[in-house]
Amino acid sequence: MSEATDRPVDGDAWADACAEDLAAEKARRRAEYGPPPGSAAEELRKLVDAVADKVSSLQTPLFGVAAPAVQQAIRQAKSAVEPVIERNPQVFDHLAAAGNELLAAYRSAVEGQESRWTRTTEGASGTACPSKKAADDPSDPRDEGPSGTERIDLD
């Protein structure tokens, strides 16, 4: 028997190598881009703290007179937001995901409408339409110009 077959085979060698590669890639990204963002609840908490700090640091004549009232309003807002974040952190993750989906749907609708608006036909500029066949077809809806309201199915 050869020496290679006498050694025990580590069944997790592949998993160990993948885990090491993943850890090295995460460390590289952390070094290059900084720490990854936290959950939506953590980010909301950071936003509330940052806004509270910024408002507290403003030294304007308007806030000079009302500074105690502003400080009290900030404390009340933080105390109202904190329990909601603590009880329902997953809600903020779902809201962030829903916002991303709505943004993607809106972007898709806008890009589609822009492409219809920017299509050109052969005319004064002498440029040809990218699809001459579609431009010659009178039943092609792309040549009718912008339509009224379009219903976008988000499912």
Side-chain angles (χ1 to χ4, degrees):
M1 284 196 142
S2 71
E3 187 177 316
T5 58
D6 293 339
R7 285 185 279 169
V9 176
D10 184 8
D12 292 336
W14 181 259
D16 292 342
C18 289
E20 289 172 7
D21 288 346
L22 181 60
E25 179 63 17
K26 285 182 178 179
R28 184 191 69 78
R29 287 178 180 253
R30 235 184 333 271
E32 187 173 339
Y33 302 112
S39 70
E42 291 169 358
E43 294 300 314
L44 177 61
R45 186 176 291 122
K46 288 178 188 178
L47 175 65
V48 169
D49 289 340
V51 169
D53 291 343
K54 185 64 176 176
V55 170
S56 298
S57 69
L58 291 176
Q59 298 297 326
T60 65
L62 174 67
F63 287 141
V65 176
V70 171
Q71 295 294 335
Q72 178 65 25
I74 292 170
R75 282 194 297 275
Q76 287 176 344
K78 284 179 75 171
S79 66
V81 167
E82 196 63 36
V84 174
I85 294 172
E86 290 296 322
R87 283 192 306 263
N88 306 305
Q90 71 282 0
V91 168
F92 297 100
D93 291 332
H94 290 296
L95 288 173
N100 287 335
E101 291 295 321
L102 285 171
L103 179 61
Y106 175 76
R107 185 176 293 135
S108 175
V110 168
E111 286 174 354
Q113 190 65 36
E114 284 177 344
S115 70
R116 285 190 292 274
W117 287 340
T118 58
R119 282 197 186 96
T120 60
T121 59
E122 187 166 327
S125 65
T127 58
C129 179
S131 174
K132 185 65 175 156
K133 182 178 184 280
D136 291 336
D137 184 6
S139 66
D140 189 3
R142 293 179 292 180
D143 292 333
E144 295 174 5
S147 62
T149 304
E150 282 186 24
R151 176 168 164 71
I152 300 171
D153 186 13
L154 298 177
D155 289 330

PDB file of all heavy atoms in Angstrom, residues 80-107:
ATOM      1  N   ALA A  80     -39.926  56.464  22.746  1.00  0.00           N
ATOM      2  CA  ALA A  80     -41.054  55.874  22.025  1.00  0.00           C
ATOM      3  C   ALA A  80     -40.581  54.886  20.964  1.00  0.00           C
ATOM      4  O   ALA A  80     -41.220  53.856  20.732  1.00  0.00           O
ATOM      5  CB  ALA A  80     -41.895  56.977  21.380  1.00  0.00           C
ATOM      6  N   VAL A  81     -39.456  55.176  20.321  1.00  0.00           N
ATOM      7  CA  VAL A  81     -38.961  54.335  19.227  1.00  0.00           C
ATOM      8  C   VAL A  81     -38.272  53.078  19.762  1.00  0.00           C
ATOM      9  O   VAL A  81     -38.419  51.993  19.196  1.00  0.00           O
ATOM     10  CB  VAL A  81     -38.006  55.151  18.323  1.00  0.00           C
ATOM     11  CG1 VAL A  81     -37.245  54.253  17.378  1.00  0.00           C
ATOM     12  CG2 VAL A  81     -38.775  56.203  17.568  1.00  0.00           C
ATOM     13  N   GLU A  82     -37.543  53.211  20.834  1.00  0.00           N
ATOM     14  CA  GLU A  82     -36.737  52.096  21.347  1.00  0.00           C
ATOM     15  C   GLU A  82     -37.548  50.838  21.651  1.00  0.00           C
ATOM     16  O   GLU A  82     -37.162  49.737  21.232  1.00  0.00           O
ATOM     17  CB  GLU A  82     -35.953  52.558  22.581  1.00  0.00           C
ATOM     18  CG  GLU A  82     -34.830  51.659  22.961  1.00  0.00           C
ATOM     19  CD  GLU A  82     -33.755  51.557  21.896  1.00  0.00           C
ATOM     20  OE1 GLU A  82     -33.470  52.556  21.220  1.00  0.00           O
ATOM     21  OE2 GLU A  82     -33.194  50.466  21.734  1.00  0.00           O
ATOM     22  N   PRO A  83     -38.679  50.913  22.361  1.00  0.00           N
ATOM     23  CA  PRO A  83     -39.439  49.676  22.625  1.00  0.00           C
ATOM     24  C   PRO A  83     -39.975  49.022  21.348  1.00  0.00           C
ATOM     25  O   PRO A  83     -40.049  47.797  21.259  1.00  0.00           O
ATOM     26  CB  PRO A  83     -40.603  50.132  23.515  1.00  0.00           C
ATOM     27  CG  PRO A  83     -40.230  51.459  24.026  1.00  0.00           C
ATOM     28  CD  PRO A  83     -39.253  52.056  23.071  1.00  0.00           C
ATOM     29  N   VAL A  84     -40.342  49.823  20.374  1.00  0.00           N
ATOM     30  CA  VAL A  84     -40.844  49.266  19.111  1.00  0.00           C
ATOM     31  C   VAL A  84     -39.731  48.484  18.421  1.00  0.00           C
ATOM     32  O   VAL A  84     -39.950  47.385  17.906  1.00  0.00           O
ATOM     33  CB  VAL A  84     -41.387  50.393  18.203  1.00  0.00           C
ATOM     34  CG1 VAL A  84     -41.773  49.849  16.838  1.00  0.00           C
ATOM     35  CG2 VAL A  84     -42.570  51.077  18.864  1.00  0.00           C
ATOM     36  N   ILE A  85     -38.539  49.053  18.415  1.00  0.00           N
ATOM     37  CA  ILE A  85     -37.392  48.368  17.794  1.00  0.00           C
ATOM     38  C   ILE A  85     -37.079  47.078  18.546  1.00  0.00           C
ATOM     39  O   ILE A  85     -36.829  46.038  17.930  1.00  0.00           O
ATOM     40  CB  ILE A  85     -36.161  49.296  17.762  1.00  0.00           C
ATOM     41  CG1 ILE A  85     -36.419  50.481  16.830  1.00  0.00           C
ATOM     42  CG2 ILE A  85     -34.916  48.528  17.339  1.00  0.00           C
ATOM     43  CD1 ILE A  85     -35.338  51.546  16.880  1.00  0.00           C
ATOM     44  N   GLU A  86     -37.119  47.131  19.866  1.00  0.00           N
ATOM     45  CA  GLU A  86     -36.800  45.945  20.671  1.00  0.00           C
ATOM     46  C   GLU A  86     -37.823  44.821  20.474  1.00  0.00           C
ATOM     47  O   GLU A  86     -37.455  43.657  20.392  1.00  0.00           O
ATOM     48  CB  GLU A  86     -36.728  46.318  22.159  1.00  0.00           C
ATOM     49  CG  GLU A  86     -35.546  47.167  22.516  1.00  0.00           C
ATOM     50  CD  GLU A  86     -34.224  46.461  22.290  1.00  0.00           C
ATOM     51  OE1 GLU A  86     -34.128  45.241  22.548  1.00  0.00           O
ATOM     52  OE2 GLU A  86     -33.288  47.135  21.841  1.00  0.00           O
ATOM     53  N   ARG A  87     -39.104  45.176  20.424  1.00  0.00           N
ATOM     54  CA  ARG A  87     -40.154  44.151  20.311  1.00  0.00           C
ATOM     55  C   ARG A  87     -40.269  43.574  18.906  1.00  0.00           C
ATOM     56  O   ARG A  87     -40.647  42.423  18.742  1.00  0.00           O
ATOM     57  CB  ARG A  87     -41.508  44.732  20.718  1.00  0.00           C
ATOM     58  CG  ARG A  87     -41.704  44.871  22.201  1.00  0.00           C
ATOM     59  CD  ARG A  87     -43.154  45.177  22.528  1.00  0.00           C
ATOM     60  NE  ARG A  87     -43.677  46.328  21.809  1.00  0.00           N
ATOM     61  CZ  ARG A  87     -43.753  47.565  22.284  1.00  0.00           C
ATOM     62  NH1 ARG A  87     -43.321  47.813  23.503  1.00  0.00           N
ATOM     63  NH2 ARG A  87     -44.246  48.539  21.560  1.00  0.00           N
ATOM     64  N   ASN A  88     -39.971  44.366  17.871  1.00  0.00           N
ATOM     65  CA  ASN A  88     -40.240  43.943  16.494  1.00  0.00           C
ATOM     66  C   ASN A  88     -39.063  44.184  15.555  1.00  0.00           C
ATOM     67  O   ASN A  88     -39.230  44.819  14.511  1.00  0.00           O
ATOM     68  CB  ASN A  88     -41.459  44.717  15.964  1.00  0.00           C
ATOM     69  CG  ASN A  88     -42.658  44.582  16.848  1.00  0.00           C
ATOM     70  OD1 ASN A  88     -43.084  43.487  17.143  1.00  0.00           O
ATOM     71  ND2 ASN A  88     -43.202  45.702  17.300  1.00  0.00           N
ATOM     72  N   PRO A  89     -37.890  43.678  15.848  1.00  0.00           N
ATOM     73  CA  PRO A  89     -36.763  43.972  14.950  1.00  0.00           C
ATOM     74  C   PRO A  89     -36.945  43.388  13.553  1.00  0.00           C
ATOM     75  O   PRO A  89     -36.516  43.983  12.568  1.00  0.00           O
ATOM     76  CB  PRO A  89     -35.559  43.350  15.660  1.00  0.00           C
ATOM     77  CG  PRO A  89     -36.134  42.302  16.534  1.00  0.00           C
ATOM     78  CD  PRO A  89     -37.491  42.813  16.943  1.00  0.00           C
ATOM     79  N   GLN A  90     -37.626  42.259  13.425  1.00  0.00           N
ATOM     80  CA  GLN A  90     -37.812  41.638  12.120  1.00  0.00           C
ATOM     81  C   GLN A  90     -38.747  42.451  11.237  1.00  0.00           C
ATOM     82  O   GLN A  90     -38.655  42.394  10.009  1.00  0.00           O
ATOM     83  CB  GLN A  90     -38.307  40.197  12.254  1.00  0.00           C
ATOM     84  CG  GLN A  90     -39.732  40.039  12.733  1.00  0.00           C
ATOM     85  CD  GLN A  90     -39.933  40.215  14.226  1.00  0.00           C
ATOM     86  OE1 GLN A  90     -38.999  40.476  14.975  1.00  0.00           O
ATOM     87  NE2 GLN A  90     -41.172  40.079  14.666  1.00  0.00           N
ATOM     88  N   VAL A  91     -39.632  43.243  11.830  1.00  0.00           N
ATOM     89  CA  VAL A  91     -40.544  44.075  11.041  1.00  0.00           C
ATOM     90  C   VAL A  91     -39.750  45.058  10.189  1.00  0.00           C
ATOM     91  O   VAL A  91     -40.063  45.287   9.024  1.00  0.00           O
ATOM     92  CB  VAL A  91     -41.535  44.821  11.962  1.00  0.00           C
ATOM     93  CG1 VAL A  91     -42.296  45.897  11.203  1.00  0.00           C
ATOM     94  CG2 VAL A  91     -42.503  43.828  12.591  1.00  0.00           C
ATOM     95  N   PHE A  92     -38.689  45.613  10.753  1.00  0.00           N
ATOM     96  CA  PHE A  92     -37.895  46.589  10.018  1.00  0.00           C
ATOM     97  C   PHE A  92     -37.137  45.938   8.872  1.00  0.00           C
ATOM     98  O   PHE A  92     -36.952  46.540   7.823  1.00  0.00           O
ATOM     99  CB  PHE A  92     -36.955  47.334  10.973  1.00  0.00           C
ATOM    100  CG  PHE A  92     -37.727  48.126  11.987  1.00  0.00           C
ATOM    101  CD1 PHE A  92     -37.911  47.650  13.264  1.00  0.00           C
ATOM    102  CD2 PHE A  92     -38.296  49.341  11.638  1.00  0.00           C
ATOM    103  CE1 PHE A  92     -38.637  48.370  14.185  1.00  0.00           C
ATOM    104  CE2 PHE A  92     -39.030  50.067  12.549  1.00  0.00           C
ATOM    105  CZ  PHE A  92     -39.206  49.580  13.831  1.00  0.00           C
ATOM    106  N   ASP A  93     -36.708  44.681   9.063  1.00  0.00           N
ATOM    107  CA  ASP A  93     -36.073  43.952   7.964  1.00  0.00           C
ATOM    108  C   ASP A  93     -37.077  43.722   6.830  1.00  0.00           C
ATOM    109  O   ASP A  93     -36.748  43.878   5.651  1.00  0.00           O
ATOM    110  CB  ASP A  93     -35.512  42.614   8.449  1.00  0.00           C
ATOM    111  CG  ASP A  93     -34.319  42.799   9.378  1.00  0.00           C
ATOM    112  OD1 ASP A  93     -33.618  43.822   9.238  1.00  0.00           O
ATOM    113  OD2 ASP A  93     -34.107  41.930  10.239  1.00  0.00           O
ATOM    114  N   HIS A  94     -38.307  43.363   7.182  1.00  0.00           N
ATOM    115  CA  HIS A  94     -39.341  43.153   6.167  1.00  0.00           C
ATOM    116  C   HIS A  94     -39.680  44.461   5.456  1.00  0.00           C
ATOM    117  O   HIS A  94     -39.876  44.476   4.234  1.00  0.00           O
ATOM    118  CB  HIS A  94     -40.599  42.547   6.784  1.00  0.00           C
ATOM    119  CG  HIS A  94     -40.438  41.136   7.230  1.00  0.00           C
ATOM    120  ND1 HIS A  94     -40.172  40.104   6.367  1.00  0.00           N
ATOM    121  CD2 HIS A  94     -40.496  40.578   8.463  1.00  0.00           C
ATOM    122  CE1 HIS A  94     -40.081  38.975   7.040  1.00  0.00           C
ATOM    123  NE2 HIS A  94     -40.266  39.235   8.315  1.00  0.00           N
ATOM    124  N   LEU A  95     -39.772  45.554   6.213  1.00  0.00           N
ATOM    125  CA  LEU A  95     -40.062  46.845   5.592  1.00  0.00           C
ATOM    126  C   LEU A  95     -38.942  47.261   4.644  1.00  0.00           C
ATOM    127  O   LEU A  95     -39.203  47.799   3.562  1.00  0.00           O
ATOM    128  CB  LEU A  95     -40.272  47.915   6.667  1.00  0.00           C
ATOM    129  CG  LEU A  95     -41.575  47.815   7.456  1.00  0.00           C
ATOM    130  CD1 LEU A  95     -41.574  48.821   8.594  1.00  0.00           C
ATOM    131  CD2 LEU A  95     -42.769  48.015   6.553  1.00  0.00           C
ATOM    132  N   ALA A  96     -37.696  47.008   5.039  1.00  0.00           N
ATOM    133  CA  ALA A  96     -36.568  47.343   4.164  1.00  0.00           C
ATOM    134  C   ALA A  96     -36.608  46.504   2.889  1.00  0.00           C
ATOM    135  O   ALA A  96     -36.387  47.015   1.784  1.00  0.00           O
ATOM    136  CB  ALA A  96     -35.254  47.131   4.906  1.00  0.00           C
ATOM    137  N   ALA A  97     -36.924  45.220   3.016  1.00  0.00           N
ATOM    138  CA  ALA A  97     -37.017  44.351   1.840  1.00  0.00           C
ATOM    139  C   ALA A  97     -38.168  44.797   0.935  1.00  0.00           C
ATOM    140  O   ALA A  97     -38.024  44.824  -0.293  1.00  0.00           O
ATOM    141  CB  ALA A  97     -37.213  42.897   2.269  1.00  0.00           C
ATOM    142  N   ALA A  98     -39.294  45.162   1.531  1.00  0.00           N
ATOM    143  CA  ALA A  98     -40.434  45.626   0.730  1.00  0.00           C
ATOM    144  C   ALA A  98     -40.077  46.923   0.008  1.00  0.00           C
ATOM    145  O   ALA A  98     -40.439  47.112  -1.159  1.00  0.00           O
ATOM    146  CB  ALA A  98     -41.658  45.825   1.621  1.00  0.00           C
ATOM    147  N   GLY A  99     -39.365  47.806   0.686  1.00  0.00           N
ATOM    148  CA  GLY A  99     -38.936  49.044   0.045  1.00  0.00           C
ATOM    149  C   GLY A  99     -38.021  48.775  -1.137  1.00  0.00           C
ATOM    150  O   GLY A  99     -38.142  49.421  -2.185  1.00  0.00           O
ATOM    151  N   ASN A 100     -37.129  47.816  -0.990  1.00  0.00           N
ATOM    152  CA  ASN A 100     -36.236  47.454  -2.098  1.00  0.00           C
ATOM    153  C   ASN A 100     -37.025  46.896  -3.278  1.00  0.00           C
ATOM    154  O   ASN A 100     -36.718  47.184  -4.437  1.00  0.00           O
ATOM    155  CB  ASN A 100     -35.182  46.453  -1.637  1.00  0.00           C
ATOM    156  CG  ASN A 100     -34.138  47.093  -0.767  1.00  0.00           C
ATOM    157  OD1 ASN A 100     -33.898  48.295  -0.837  1.00  0.00           O
ATOM    158  ND2 ASN A 100     -33.503  46.297   0.077  1.00  0.00           N
ATOM    159  N   GLU A 101     -38.040  46.083  -2.997  1.00  0.00           N
ATOM    160  CA  GLU A 101     -38.865  45.524  -4.070  1.00  0.00           C
ATOM    161  C   GLU A 101     -39.646  46.620  -4.785  1.00  0.00           C
ATOM    162  O   GLU A 101     -39.755  46.615  -6.011  1.00  0.00           O
ATOM    163  CB  GLU A 101     -39.823  44.466  -3.516  1.00  0.00           C
ATOM    164  CG  GLU A 101     -39.133  43.205  -3.047  1.00  0.00           C
ATOM    165  CD  GLU A 101     -38.466  42.462  -4.179  1.00  0.00           C
ATOM    166  OE1 GLU A 101     -39.032  42.401  -5.293  1.00  0.00           O
ATOM    167  OE2 GLU A 101     -37.372  41.920  -3.967  1.00  0.00           O
ATOM    168  N   LEU A 102     -40.207  47.561  -4.028  1.00  0.00           N
ATOM    169  CA  LEU A 102     -40.934  48.669  -4.651  1.00  0.00           C
ATOM    170  C   LEU A 102     -40.004  49.520  -5.505  1.00  0.00           C
ATOM    171  O   LEU A 102     -40.373  49.954  -6.598  1.00  0.00           O
ATOM    172  CB  LEU A 102     -41.605  49.529  -3.585  1.00  0.00           C
ATOM    173  CG  LEU A 102     -42.847  48.917  -2.949  1.00  0.00           C
ATOM    174  CD1 LEU A 102     -43.294  49.757  -1.758  1.00  0.00           C
ATOM    175  CD2 LEU A 102     -43.961  48.793  -3.965  1.00  0.00           C
ATOM    176  N   LEU A 103     -38.804  49.762  -5.005  1.00  0.00           N
ATOM    177  CA  LEU A 103     -37.833  50.540  -5.772  1.00  0.00           C
ATOM    178  C   LEU A 103     -37.474  49.823  -7.072  1.00  0.00           C
ATOM    179  O   LEU A 103     -37.395  50.444  -8.136  1.00  0.00           O
ATOM    180  CB  LEU A 103     -36.577  50.803  -4.942  1.00  0.00           C
ATOM    181  CG  LEU A 103     -35.477  51.588  -5.628  1.00  0.00           C
ATOM    182  CD1 LEU A 103     -35.968  52.981  -6.016  1.00  0.00           C
ATOM    183  CD2 LEU A 103     -34.262  51.686  -4.716  1.00  0.00           C
ATOM    184  N   ALA A 104     -37.277  48.514  -7.007  1.00  0.00           N
ATOM    185  CA  ALA A 104     -36.952  47.747  -8.220  1.00  0.00           C
ATOM    186  C   ALA A 104     -38.110  47.785  -9.217  1.00  0.00           C
ATOM    187  O   ALA A 104     -37.887  47.932 -10.426  1.00  0.00           O
ATOM    188  CB  ALA A 104     -36.617  46.295  -7.849  1.00  0.00           C
ATOM    189  N   ALA A 105     -39.343  47.672  -8.733  1.00  0.00           N
ATOM    190  CA  ALA A 105     -40.497  47.731  -9.624  1.00  0.00           C
ATOM    191  C   ALA A 105     -40.615  49.111 -10.264  1.00  0.00           C
ATOM    192  O   ALA A 105     -40.866  49.231 -11.469  1.00  0.00           O
ATOM    193  CB  ALA A 105     -41.778  47.393  -8.857  1.00  0.00           C
ATOM    194  N   TYR A 106     -40.417  50.147  -9.493  1.00  0.00           N
ATOM    195  CA  TYR A 106     -40.490  51.513 -10.019  1.00  0.00           C
ATOM    196  C   TYR A 106     -39.394  51.737 -11.057  1.00  0.00           C
ATOM    197  O   TYR A 106     -39.644  52.280 -12.124  1.00  0.00           O
ATOM    198  CB  TYR A 106     -40.361  52.513  -8.870  1.00  0.00           C
ATOM    199  CG  TYR A 106     -40.308  53.945  -9.335  1.00  0.00           C
ATOM    200  CD1 TYR A 106     -41.463  54.594  -9.746  1.00  0.00           C
ATOM    201  CD2 TYR A 106     -39.107  54.636  -9.377  1.00  0.00           C
ATOM    202  CE1 TYR A 106     -41.424  55.907 -10.182  1.00  0.00           C
ATOM    203  CE2 TYR A 106     -39.057  55.946  -9.809  1.00  0.00           C
ATOM    204  CZ  TYR A 106     -40.217  56.579 -10.210  1.00  0.00           C
ATOM    205  OH  TYR A 106     -40.169  57.868 -10.641  1.00  0.00           O
ATOM    206  N   ARG A 107     -38.170  51.303 -10.729  1.00  0.00           N
ATOM    207  CA  ARG A 107     -37.053  51.476 -11.661  1.00  0.00           C
ATOM    208  C   ARG A 107     -37.334  50.757 -12.975  1.00  0.00           C
ATOM    209  O   ARG A 107     -37.078  51.287 -14.053  1.00  0.00           O
ATOM    210  CB  ARG A 107     -35.772  50.944 -11.022  1.00  0.00           C
ATOM    211  CG  ARG A 107     -34.540  51.180 -11.861  1.00  0.00           C
ATOM    212  CD  ARG A 107     -33.278  50.724 -11.163  1.00  0.00           C
ATOM    213  NE  ARG A 107     -33.033  51.565 -10.003  1.00  0.00           N
ATOM    214  CZ  ARG A 107     -32.691  51.105  -8.803  1.00  0.00           C
ATOM    215  NH1 ARG A 107     -32.565  49.811  -8.613  1.00  0.00           N
ATOM    216  NH2 ARG A 107     -32.484  51.933  -7.815  1.00  0.00           N
TER     217      ARG A 107
END
